């Protein structure tokens, strides 16, 4: 963590007196404000409006939802700034956008056009096979995907202010998101049972910065907000992820690839708030029309899997 | 409520940074509980409306029939404190809301949503807070500000420096308190203690 600017450390922010932007506290704090909410993938201003009207806490501006990226293939890149602008103008809730893993220049563009959060995302084609973006260098906060605790802590070490499970985007199948949420939870619970002198070896095993490992062991949770993503398609999917410890939900293809997007979006919002109340989840699950068809992951070849991108 | 018993203070738990408010309230020595249903409201003697997304809170509060019970309790004198989105929810009038967006209301003020700009403009800075001895370190996240206040609304804090100098960011009207910033993110519980005193006095 020696590369971490001192001003970016939350515990030091109390010494700041003048107005300071881009501190770890305002970046991480932004994610705290999204908790209990649903962030929805949208590809047009009209979809963004539907998402806002359904009670979404933020939208993810994209050219293609993951299901279409999968279907069409080719290199998937950052969206056209004009498209992002049209979505930013259409809604008053926060707008996120994706850049490729390691593509810091795409991230600079997204910061310059004023998006509220950058998702350094495995859904796009990675631009660097060794390095993720140094996210401390930015004013805009970043969310990154993780399949396990070590990966989450490496991203936080690089400056990610929010973590989401990777899941297997664009499949409408939650099995991978379940694996990631259970895995991250189990590893955090294990850390909290270790003796202090065992945390050094744990940091080595996790390939994560020791300070962050010790912080998780102490607090029993990540130092940033943990959302879930990847394959969420129904209100019950959202409720399950929240019960497994997610603090909020990203829904990608699941809304606008379904029969009645507005109704499904509103239903997933309600199920995310009342995730532990099966009566509410049952009520909002009725009459939504068809869910997205989805893909059985056993039929996906290794090169079609997105969750393995990043490290 | 008598001051002898430990007050029970609710945090509206539809969406937002509920846990941080629960923790701050518990640090102040009160019992803090979540409020998601109208029934929950009957068990609390004060309510915190957290930071989050005001449009989401409004949608959920409307769908789950909480708006009227909330208005009734606040009109009936229940102390309430709103931070950021919570400030918007307690405003009688808002600017830059989405079509049809309603608030609970109670404070005679006009609040502008996302007034300081987008997330890259979010900031932290010291503000002097009326009634506190030393400056309060305030965290503003896509924060609103107060454009106008009515006669009965007391201004507690304004932005000190920068482009937004002079903008009102904390107010009190009787038993209602609102801040554009997030005391629940800083570990400085003085604003929560201020609110707990309002609850104890009510």
């Amino acid at each position: 963590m020696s590369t971490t600017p001192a001003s970016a450390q939350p515990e030091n922010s109390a010494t700041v007196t003048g107005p300071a932007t881009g501190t770890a506290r305002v970046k991480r704090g932004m994610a705290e404000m999204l908790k209990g909410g649903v962030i929805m993938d949208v590809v047009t201003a009209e979809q963004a409006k539907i998402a806002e009207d359904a009670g979404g806490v933020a939208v993810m501006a994209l050219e293609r939802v993951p299901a279409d990226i999968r279907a069409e293939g080719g290199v998937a890149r950052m969206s056209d700034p004009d498209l992002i602008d049209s979505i930013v103008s259409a809604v008053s809730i926060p707008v996120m956008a994706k850049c490729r893993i390691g593509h810091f220049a795409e991230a600079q563009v997204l910061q310059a056009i004023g998006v509220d959060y950058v998702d350094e995302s495995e859904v796009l084609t990675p631009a660097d096979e060794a390095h993720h973006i140094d996210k401390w260098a930015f004013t805009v906060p970043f969310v990154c995907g993780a399949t396990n605790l070590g990966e989450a802590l490496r991203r936080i070490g690089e400056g990610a202010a929010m973590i989401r499970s990777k899941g297997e985007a664009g499949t409408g199948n939650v099995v991978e998101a379940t694996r990631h949420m259970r895995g991250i939870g189990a590893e955090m619970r294990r850390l909290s049972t270790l003796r202090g002198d065992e945390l050094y070896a744990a940091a080595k095993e996790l390939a994560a910065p020791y300070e962050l490992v010790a912080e998780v062991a102490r607090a029993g949770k990540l130092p940033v907000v943990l959302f879930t993503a990847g394959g969420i398609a129904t209100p019950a999917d959202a409720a399950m992820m929240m019960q497994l410890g997610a603090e909020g939900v990203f829904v990608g293809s699941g809304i606008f690839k379904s029969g009645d997007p507005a109704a499904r979006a509103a239903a997933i919002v309600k199920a995310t708030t009342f995730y532990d109340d099966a009566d509410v989840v049952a009520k909002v699950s009725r009459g939504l029309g068809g869910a997205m068809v989805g893909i059985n992951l056993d039929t996906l070849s290794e090169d079609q899997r997105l969750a393995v991108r990043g490290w | 409520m008598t001051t002898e018993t430990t007050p029970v203070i609710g945090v509206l738990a539809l969406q937002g940074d509920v846990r941080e408010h629960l923790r701050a309230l518990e640090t102040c020595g009160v019992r803090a509980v979540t409020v998601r249903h109208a029934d929950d409201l009957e068990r609390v003697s004060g309510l915190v409306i957290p930071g989050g997304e005001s449009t989401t809170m409004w949608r959920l509060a409307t769908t789950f029939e909480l708006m009227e019970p909330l208005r009734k309790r606040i009109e009936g004198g229940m102390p309430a404190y709103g931070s950021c989105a919570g400030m918007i929810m307690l405003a009688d009038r808002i600017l830059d809301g989405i079509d049809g967006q309603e608030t609970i209301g109670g404070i005679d003020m006009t609040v502008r949503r996302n007034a300081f700009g987008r997330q890259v403009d979010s900031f932290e800075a010291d503000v002097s807070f009326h009634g506190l001895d030393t400056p309060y370190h305030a965290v503003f996240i896509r924060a609103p500000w107060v454009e106008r206040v009515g006669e009965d609304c007391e201004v507690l804090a304004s932005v000190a420096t920068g482009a937004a100098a002079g903008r009102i960011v904390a107010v009190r009207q009787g038993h209602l308190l609102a801040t554009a910033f997030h005391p629940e993110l800083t570990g400085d519980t003085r604003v929560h203690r201020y609110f707990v005193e309002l609850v104890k006095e009510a």
Side-chain angles (χ1 to χ4, degrees), chain A residues 30-306:
Chain A
M30 171 77 216
E32 302 285 353
M33 300 312 142
L34 300 171
K35 280 191 303 194
V38 181
I39 300 166
M40 305 179 190
D41 277 7
V42 298
V43 299
T44 64
E46 292 71 40
Q47 288 187 355
K49 201 66 202 137
I50 290 169
E52 182 177 61
D53 286 340
V57 285
V59 293
M60 178 74 70
L62 286 164
E63 265 170 4
R64 294 179 288 172
V65 293
D68 289 333
I69 291 174
R70 239 174 227 296
E72 292 164 24
V75 175
R77 310 178 178 91
M78 175 187 80
S79 298
D80 184 334
D82 280 344
L83 172 87
I84 296 171
D85 273 348
S86 72
I87 288 168
V88 165
S89 324
V91 294
S92 65
I93 56 177
V95 177
M96 300 185 168
K98 290 184 194 289
C99 71
R100 285 178 265 177
I101 288 173
H103 206 315
F104 51 85
E106 283 188 349
Q108 290 162 357
V109 170
L110 293 174
Q111 175 169 291
I113 62 181
V115 306
D116 296 297
Y117 237 95
V118 174
D119 183 1
E120 186 182 17
S121 177
E122 71 284 358
V123 169
L124 306 184
T125 309
D128 189 323
E129 293 184 327
H131 309 283
H132 281 251
I133 296 171
D134 171 13
K135 293 163 276 284
W136 296 111
F138 287 77
T139 304
V140 70
F142 282 73
V143 55
C144 287
T147 59
N148 57 52
L149 181 60
E151 195 175 356
L153 295 181
R154 288 193 291 281
R155 296 296 86 76
I156 296 166
E158 295 156 1
M162 179 179 188
I163 294 293
R164 56 171 174 75
S165 67
K166 281 183 173 170
E168 195 55 44
T171 62
N173 188 337
V174 292
V175 67
E176 285 298 307
T178 302
R179 189 201 316 278
H180 303 160
M181 293 308 301
R182 280 198 183 273
I184 292 169
E187 288 171 302
M188 290 197 291
R189 286 189 292 278
R190 188 183 80 88
L191 281 189
S192 64
T193 66
L194 297 183
R195 286 160 48 109
D197 61 1
E198 291 167 344
L199 293 174
Y200 299 97
K204 184 188 166 200
E205 283 162 27
L206 290 166
Y210 165 77
E211 289 76 9
L212 291 175
V213 171
E215 193 175 348
V216 169
R218 204 166 44 239
K221 65 179 288 299
L222 292 180
V224 303
V225 167
L226 173 65
F227 267 47
T228 191
I232 286 94
T234 69
D237 287 348
M240 177 181 174
M241 291 300 143
M242 294 294 286
Q243 289 184 48
L244 287 176
E247 296 180 286
V249 177
F250 283 87
V251 187
S253 318
I255 289 172
F256 289 98
K257 286 287 169 192
S258 75
D260 186 346
R264 184 163 295 268
I268 293 176
V269 167
K270 292 169 200 164
T272 300
T273 293
F274 292 91
Y275 65 90
D276 55 354
D277 185 336
D279 290 334
V280 172
V281 179
K283 192 170 161 218
V284 304
S285 298
R286 294 173 196 274
L288 297 180
M292 72 179 285
V293 175
I295 300 172
N296 189 331
L297 293 185
D298 296 337
T299 66
L300 270 189
S301 65
E302 206 49 37
D303 63 344
Q304 289 176 305
R305 289 180 179 258
L306 304 180

Side-chain angles (χ1 to χ4, degrees), chain A residues 23 33 35 92 114 116, chain B residues 14-15 20 59 113 118 124:
Chain A
T23 61
M33 300 312 142
K35 280 191 303 194
S92 65
D116 296 297
Chain B
L14 296 174
Q15 189 273 318
E20 286 64 29
R59 290 275 177 210
R113 276 181 78 218
R118 306 197 65 84
E124 40 186 305

Side-chain angles (χ1 to χ4, degrees), chain B residues 111-135:
Chain B
V111 170
R112 186 179 292 281
R113 276 181 78 218
N114 303 331
F116 289 93
R118 306 197 65 84
Q119 171 59 16
V120 290
D121 307 306
S122 292
F123 66 102
E124 40 186 305
D126 286 355
V127 297
S128 62
F129 193 103
H130 188 72
L132 300 182
D133 297 341
T134 53

Side-chain angles (χ1 to χ4, degrees), chain B residues 28 81 125-139 154-158 169-172 177-179 181-184 186-198:
Chain B
C28 298
Y81 163 48
D126 286 355
V127 297
S128 62
F129 193 103
H130 188 72
L132 300 182
D133 297 341
T134 53
Y136 195 88
H137 189 70
V139 180
E154 181 191 356
V155 174
L156 297 179
S158 303
V169 291
V171 298
R172 175 187 169 181
L177 176 70
T179 62
F181 52 87
H182 295 280
E184 73 277 13
T186 58
D188 181 344
T189 54
R190 288 180 294 167
V191 172
H192 286 86
R193 286 184 196 283
Y194 187 108
F195 178 61
V196 168
E197 287 310 308
L198 291 185

